[in-house]
Amino acid sequence: MKSLKALIMALVMVFGVGVMPAAAQFKFGVRAGTNVNTLHLSKSELTENFSAGNRAGWTGGLLTEFTVPLIGVGVDLSAMYVHRVSGLDNGYADGALKRDYIEIPLNVRYNFSLPVVSNFLTPYLAVGPSVSFLTSRKAINEAFTNRTVDWALNFGIGLRIVKHLDLNARYGLGLSNSLVGLTGIDGGHSAGIEGKNRYWTITAGWIF
């Protein structure tokens, strides 16, 4: 049921782009890059025995972009395949948790208009929600399980070069638990532990 609600919300995000003014400029492109992910664990006595570290993964996908001329405000919507790797060590769980997602981020962007320079370089800021759907296995081991839907809030900066090459860096602040502890066969060594994704994503894209 939660997955269905998340899917409906994602569709609202997609079709909501259609309310942009008719004068908006529409573009599309491709994007690929790397991400560095870590788990933000809930505070409890149980988590004192766990160590969460940064691990690198990768991402790639498609994007669409709407921009309102003159005022420099617009939105971009992407569909990305994301391979996230998180470090989690305590003797029970694997040292590297590898998870695959389909991520749909929707960002509101503000493009800075600079006289003359904007024809070659356009910096921008972006912020917006993101929903990710787990595509890899849900169960990790006897200790933890992955949630199938993961919500986050993204904050990004970028640079558009000669109106086609797009360089982007964003920070994803996980809003929902992506990992939860299970009772387990050892008497509950991970029960009650929850983790949220925190990640940096750096990509390069080409806008057609």
Side-chain angles (χ1 to χ4, degrees):
M1 188 65 180
K2 292 182 178 180
S3 298
L4 178 60
K5 291 180 178 179
L7 180 58
I8 292 174
M9 288 295 295
L11 291 175
V12 170
M13 289 165 58
V14 172
F15 289 106
V17 175
V19 302
M20 295 294 292
Q25 298 174 349
F26 170 78
K27 297 179 180 180
F28 68 96
V30 294
R31 175 180 288 168
T34 185
N35 63 73
V36 178
N37 191 80
T38 188
L39 284 170
H40 178 75
L41 300 176
S42 57
K43 299 292 184 181
S44 71
E45 295 181 358
L46 294 174
T47 56
E48 294 179 357
N49 298 321
F50 285 80
S51 174
N54 297 319
R55 298 293 177 90
W58 53 268
T59 183
L62 305 174
L63 68 95
T64 60
E65 176 184 297
F66 295 82
T67 304
V68 181
L70 301 180
I71 64 174
V73 175
V75 297
D76 64 66
L77 177 70
S78 303
M80 308 293 291
Y81 189 90
V82 183
H83 179 67
R84 290 180 183 151
V85 185
S86 304
L88 184 63
D89 299 306
N90 80 325
Y92 294 106
D94 296 332
L97 305 180
K98 300 178 180 180
R99 296 173 291 175
D100 296 327
Y101 295 88
I102 297 295
E103 182 185 13
I104 303 176
L106 174 64
N107 296 303
V108 177
R109 294 181 19 167
Y110 179 75
N111 301 305
F112 292 92
S113 179
L114 305 174
V116 182
V117 178
S118 293
N119 291 326
F120 306 96
L121 299 173
T122 304
Y124 62 85
L125 298 176
V127 62
S130 172
V131 59
S132 300
F133 300 93
L134 184 72
T135 61
S136 57
R137 59 177 183 158
K138 182 177 180 180
I140 299 173
N141 50 31
E142 293 85 359
F144 296 98
T145 185
N146 290 309
R147 292 290 175 84
T148 55
V149 178
D150 184 26
W151 287 93
L153 183 62
N154 292 322
F155 304 89
I157 59 174
L159 183 66
R160 183 67 52 82
I161 303 174
V162 294
K163 299 184 179 181
H164 292 286
L165 179 61
D166 187 87
L167 304 179
N168 180 276
R170 60 186 172 92
Y171 178 73
L173 179 67
L175 301 178
S176 59
N177 292 316
S178 65
L179 174 146
V180 294
L182 301 175
T183 300
I185 59 177
D186 64 345
H189 63 265
S190 62
I193 296 178
E194 299 174 331
K196 293 182 173 67
N197 283 322
R198 299 284 193 272
Y199 51 89
W200 281 98
T201 303
I202 300 175
T203 61
W206 186 260
I207 310 302
F208 298 99

